[in-house]
Amino acid sequence: MRKQFMACFLLIAAIHIQAQDNKMNGFISTLMSKMTVDEKIGQLNLVTPGGAVTGSVVSQDVDEKIRQGKVGGLFGITGPEKVRQAQDIAVQHSRLHIPLLFGLDVIHGLETVFPIPLAMSCTWDTVLIQKSARIAAAEASADGLDWTFSPMVDIARDPRWGRVAEGSGEDPCLGSAIAAAMVRGYQGKDLAQKDALMACVKHFALYGAAEAGREYNTVDMSRIKMYQYYLPPYKAAVDAGVGSVMTSFNEIDGIPATGNKWLLTDLLRNEWKFKGLVVSDYTSLSEMTAHGMGDLQTVSALAMNAGLDMDMVAEGYLTTLKQSLKKGRVTEKQVDQACRRVLEAKYKLGLFTDPYRRMNAERASAEILSATNRNAARETAEHSFVLLKNGEQVLPLKKSGTIALIGPLASNHRNMLGTWSVAGDPSKSVSVLEGIKNVAGTSVNILYAKGANISDDSVLVAHTNVFGPEIEPETRKPEDMLNEAVAAAEKSDVVVAVLGEAADMTGESSSRADISIPESQETLLKALVKTGKPVVLVLFNGRPLTLEWENQHVNAILDAWFGGTEAGNAIADVLFGDYNPSGKLSMSFPVSVGQIPVYYNAKNTGRPYDGKGSPKFKSDYLDIPNDPLYPFGYGLSYTHFSYSGLVPDHTQISPRHPIQVKLTVSNTGNYDGEETVQLYIRDMVASVTQPVKELKKFQKVWLKKGESKEVVFTLNTDDLKFVNSQLHWVYEPGAFKVFVGGNSRDVLEITLNGIR
Ligand code: NOJ
């Protein structure tokens, strides 16, 4: 009965969707029958008047082009007035009155800025993450925006690459869950909703594997590696119904992504059945010339033949497609198809019904930066912080006594929001100093001193300050600043040093070869440690840093990333124990840059070194260990969780008999708290070598102090699949290890037998 009901329901839903599609197709066909070739090509042109974007070129004569029907969409502008102005030109003054599509990089919130994506991924909480995307969509749509260039889901194993800040770290399982949650959050139930944004998964594909972590660098990898590790998060976004896909700057198998037919047509359209819009990244189309693929006309034709619909900023389509049509380098059918996809996106977003449907001043003033949104940002930030060390339980701090609050990031608004917060207003953010005052009130005596500049390296400062003065070197001498800080430390019970990177030391075009805390601040930290006072290091960073010295000499380390608008309050909540930290790393922290790439799901090699016996002729280094300083999944709590009793309900797993794995997690410490229980597998023998561990499941459990809970995971043979040499996901029977723990290193283990 239930099955029949379901079947009937699905049939009715399918008929309804078909009817809607027919209506849309009819509308678009009628519209396209009135369009000239120039107008069709115009729809493929995505321009920016400059401002909140990155890149050396900005579009010219934007208003006139809109009037002439030479623009399909506009991006990179903030504020409803500008959106309205441009939309007015399109719908009132262009021949066919086709509305524009408005995009923006709404990456971690609009004006209520959430933690940077790498931080959010450390919550391992897809409910919170989805909620953050929903709030971002509600705020952005109220300002008239339709489209966000998010989520960025590039798997990254190299923290030198600045854009690790924008993604979810190194793991495909976690990354996929987050990708889907973000898409659901932005797009809501229906793209036509007035508070929905069309999401754009990026950067398709493999951008996170840029060689040596150098921005925009080349990528080369095997198909097996792509399929098993790098492609799943993009696929998860597609499966979640993402409306658009952005191509990446890099090449894949020697062909830039923007002109790569295998990627955009064979894989994305044919294998993954993606039906939405494909847009290039900023001038990635014309950059194919520098890649060595030919002149603008040639690369534009290449992109059209590959399956690219919309050209961001390069105007290669606008200026050359007509000639290519004449020469037969592209077909009218291809241009029609691309134009149709742009119009479909506009139709689904409801723009033909009402081009101003998203703009809503009343909703904007009620929602943007509302108390509810700020509370959500504060909660997300608290959950994203990772406690890396807590020696002698120096944290949480007492709400009494004297605290020396030291560091260039301690009383700083400019750097709270992190990279890609284009509509965020730093002056609306809460600094750490303000947060501590808000949370601890007057019961704590705070002695604040800046102590050092973020960096004294003028080249780094100039490079970082492209969007404004994030690093503002003082006229005071470094020794004077340092002495003031040390004097404050000496008068205090505990030192809280707020150090790290400026916001734009990560993000686009922010690769670093040395990923330590900048030297000026290291000098300060060493002087603070020398005072003998307990030192708590609160870190601002958009990437894993090398922290070996800090780990040895500082009492506690709290990684606060870039926490967004409410960062200061959230940091204070955690420092004083109002919230017990629960974040877990989504990316390994290397001991030194020499280890990079270091990631948990590595292969065993034929000569693995397990740390026992002589390492000679084993896979290791003479001068550093193999293991990272802090592994994937790692993060402490003020309480302690112990794991016991890992048992399967039976030991033979088969396609028809999933296995349940049970264990007990106990809170044996002194605080209530939340733990993320992680399940990894290892396929012991397979036709393609498999990693020593792979995350397959995770669950969050909240335990009162003294409480124990049973945690149950169900594993089926789909969870045991890998990509074989024919690039198929397959399950091969045999022995599998299952590991469960609070990080990827410290785990309980059992063995299962997989059968047919
Ligand atoms: C270039 C970046 O790579 C991309 O992530 C962003 O969405 C576009 N610029 C638009 O600003």
Side-chain angles (χ1 to χ4, degrees), residues 52-54 75 105 149 163 166 202-203 207 246 249 281-282 312 420 508:
V53 286
T54 56
F75 77 101
D105 289 280
F149 302 136
R163 300 199 81 169
E166 298 172 51
K202 69 187 190 186
H203 306 82
Y207 185 20
M246 185 188 292
F249 288 121
D281 199 352
Y282 204 109
M312 186 192 288
W420 280 122
E508 188 173 348

Side-chain angles (χ1 to χ4, degrees), residues 52-103:
V53 286
T54 56
S56 51
V57 196
V58 288
S59 317
Q60 302 295 316
D61 306 324
V62 172
D63 290 6
E64 187 49 31
K65 279 184 185 140
I66 299 174
R67 211 166 276 126
Q68 292 174 13
K70 290 183 175 171
V71 175
L74 204 65
F75 77 101
I77 52 174
T78 50
E81 308 76 30
K82 290 188 204 151
V83 174
R84 181 175 289 279
Q85 238 175 37
Q87 193 69 299
D88 281 348
I89 305 177
V91 298
Q92 290 168 24
H93 304 293
S94 73
R95 190 179 76 90
L96 290 170
H97 318 291
I98 300 176
L100 295 168
L101 194 56
F102 289 95

Side-chain angles (χ1 to χ4, degrees), residues 642-647 662-665 678-680 693 737-743 745-750:
S642 68
Y643 286 66
S644 61
L646 179 65
V647 281
K662 293 184 186 164
L663 73 149
T664 303
V665 183
Q678 303 157 37
L679 181 146
Y680 299 85
K693 271 188 198 123
K737 282 197 170 161
V738 175
F739 312 91
V740 183
N743 64 64
R745 185 187 57 201
D746 308 308
V747 288
L748 301 174
E749 136 181 6
I750 50 170

Side-chain angles (χ1 to χ4, degrees), residues 246-456:
M246 185 188 292
T247 63
S248 54
F249 288 121
N250 54 281
E251 64 176 65
I252 290 157
D253 290 337
I255 301 174
T258 304
N260 194 312
K261 184 165 180 298
W262 170 77
L263 186 75
L264 303 187
T265 298
D266 300 351
L267 181 70
L268 184 64
R269 299 275 180 209
N270 298 342
E271 212 174 302
W272 293 1
K273 312 284 176 229
F274 177 65
K275 301 264 185 303
L277 173 68
V278 180
V279 62
S280 55
D281 199 352
Y282 204 109
T283 60
S284 67
L285 186 145
S286 50
E287 287 169 27
M288 288 198 283
T289 300
H291 276 283
M293 305 300 289
D295 62 12
L296 189 61
Q297 188 176 137
T298 307
V299 295
S300 301
L302 184 73
M304 180 52 60
N305 283 304
L308 179 83
D309 301 317
M310 207 172 196
D311 167 12
M312 186 192 288
V313 182
E315 302 212 324
Y317 278 180
L318 189 77
T319 56
T320 71
L321 269 193
K322 215 165 163 195
Q323 287 103 296
S324 291
L325 272 169
K326 282 190 195 130
K327 287 187 187 159
R329 294 175 97 172
V330 300
T331 65
E332 209 172 327
K333 194 167 159 216
Q334 286 172 322
V335 174
D336 279 0
Q337 181 62 267
C339 174
R340 182 173 283 276
R341 291 207 184 101
V342 175
L343 297 175
E344 277 177 6
K346 294 181 179 182
Y347 184 96
K348 288 182 188 155
L349 285 158
L351 292 174
F352 287 110
T353 320
D354 176 7
Y356 304 95
R357 61 192 288 110
R358 286 191 174 68
M359 215 172 292
N360 184 331
E362 221 172 279
R363 201 157 64 76
S365 79
E367 291 196 22
I368 292 180
L369 277 170
S370 67
T372 316
N373 291 359
R374 290 191 78 126
N375 282 340
R378 181 168 178 169
E379 186 191 3
T380 312
E382 288 166 349
H383 284 69
S384 74
F385 302 156
V386 184
L387 183 63
L388 297 173
K389 179 177 178 186
N390 194 16
E392 305 87 43
Q393 304 283 301
V394 65
L395 288 175
L397 301 175
K398 293 189 203 69
K399 287 183 183 165
S400 60
T402 300
I403 297 176
L405 182 67
I406 311 290
L409 292 156
S411 177
N412 188 314
H413 290 109
R414 193 68 179 76
N415 289 290
M416 303 306 285
L417 305 181
T419 185
W420 280 122
S421 42
V422 295
D425 177 352
S427 72
K428 305 261 168 60
S429 68
V430 182
S431 71
V432 181
L433 177 59
E434 290 161 346
I436 290 183
K437 285 184 183 159
N438 293 342
V439 170
T442 48
S443 56
V444 173
N445 180 27
I446 303 164
L447 303 176
Y448 164 73
K450 182 169 169 183
N453 294 315
I454 293 177
S455 171
D456 289 330

Side-chain angles (χ1 to χ4, degrees), residues 380-697:
T380 312
E382 288 166 349
H383 284 69
S384 74
F385 302 156
V386 184
L387 183 63
L388 297 173
K389 179 177 178 186
N390 194 16
E392 305 87 43
Q393 304 283 301
V394 65
L395 288 175
L397 301 175
K398 293 189 203 69
K399 287 183 183 165
S400 60
T402 300
I403 297 176
L405 182 67
I406 311 290
L409 292 156
S411 177
N412 188 314
H413 290 109
R414 193 68 179 76
N415 289 290
M416 303 306 285
L417 305 181
T419 185
W420 280 122
S421 42
V422 295
D425 177 352
S427 72
K428 305 261 168 60
S429 68
V430 182
S431 71
V432 181
L433 177 59
E434 290 161 346
I436 290 183
K437 285 184 183 159
N438 293 342
V439 170
T442 48
S443 56
V444 173
N445 180 27
I446 303 164
L447 303 176
Y448 164 73
K450 182 169 169 183
N453 294 315
I454 293 177
S455 171
D456 289 330
D457 172 346
S458 58
V459 176
L460 182 83
V461 173
H463 209 134
T464 306
N465 283 352
V466 169
F467 295 116
E470 288 180 6
I471 307 180
E472 290 181 285
E474 297 235 347
T475 45
R476 279 191 293 167
K477 284 200 204 117
E479 310 85 84
D480 295 344
M481 290 166 76
L482 188 108
N483 292 340
E484 183 191 36
V486 168
E490 274 161 355
K491 281 186 234 143
S492 69
D493 301 310
V494 59
V495 177
V496 174
V498 190
L499 309 179
E501 300 184 298
D504 281 295
M505 280 170 70
T506 50
E508 188 173 348
S509 187
S510 298
S511 293
R512 291 178 69 200
D514 172 358
I515 56 168
S516 57
I517 295 174
E519 204 183 333
S520 52
Q521 299 181 69
E522 281 288 359
T523 309
L524 168 65
L525 186 61
K526 285 183 178 155
L528 295 173
V529 167
K530 227 169 148 192
T531 63
K533 299 285 178 176
V535 176
V536 175
L537 172 60
V538 175
L539 273 179
F540 278 36
N541 51 322
R543 55 159 61 81
L545 299 174
T546 46
L547 299 169
E548 212 189 4
W549 187 91
E550 292 78 356
N551 187 53
Q552 274 172 25
H553 295 94
V554 163
N555 302 76
I557 307 177
L558 179 71
D559 196 334
W561 309 106
F562 290 98
T565 309
E566 284 288 322
N569 284 332
I571 289 169
D573 289 339
V574 170
L575 288 177
F576 293 105
D578 292 359
Y579 179 78
N580 182 359
S582 61
K584 300 278 186 177
L585 295 179
S586 59
M587 206 172 169
S588 310
F589 273 48
V591 165
S592 75
V593 280
Q595 273 186 334
I596 296 171
V598 61
Y599 48 95
Y600 87 95
N601 48 353
K603 299 287 182 87
N604 200 35
T605 81
R607 295 187 177 196
Y609 181 55
D610 62 4
K612 293 176 200 137
S614 165
K616 198 66 192 165
F617 305 116
K618 297 279 171 66
S619 177
D620 75 332
Y621 300 97
L622 285 177
D623 50 355
I624 50 170
N626 285 356
D627 290 336
L629 184 62
Y630 306 120
F632 175 81
Y634 172 85
L636 303 173
S637 164
Y638 294 154
T639 194
H640 182 262
F641 298 105
S642 68
Y643 286 66
S644 61
L646 179 65
V647 281
D649 62 347
H650 55 281
T651 51
Q652 302 230 334
I653 187 168
S654 72
R656 275 178 296 127
H657 288 106
I659 271 184
Q660 285 203 333
V661 179
K662 293 184 186 164
L663 73 149
T664 303
V665 183
S666 308
N667 181 344
T668 54
N670 292 322
Y671 298 85
D672 301 343
E674 192 173 38
E675 172 71 325
T676 303
V677 186
Q678 303 157 37
L679 181 146
Y680 299 85
I681 64 143
R682 177 171 177 188
D683 189 343
M684 300 307 292
V685 179
S687 58
V688 170
T689 60
Q690 292 303 303
V692 292
K693 271 188 198 123
E694 262 188 301
L695 181 74
K696 289 293 166 180
K697 310 258 161 174

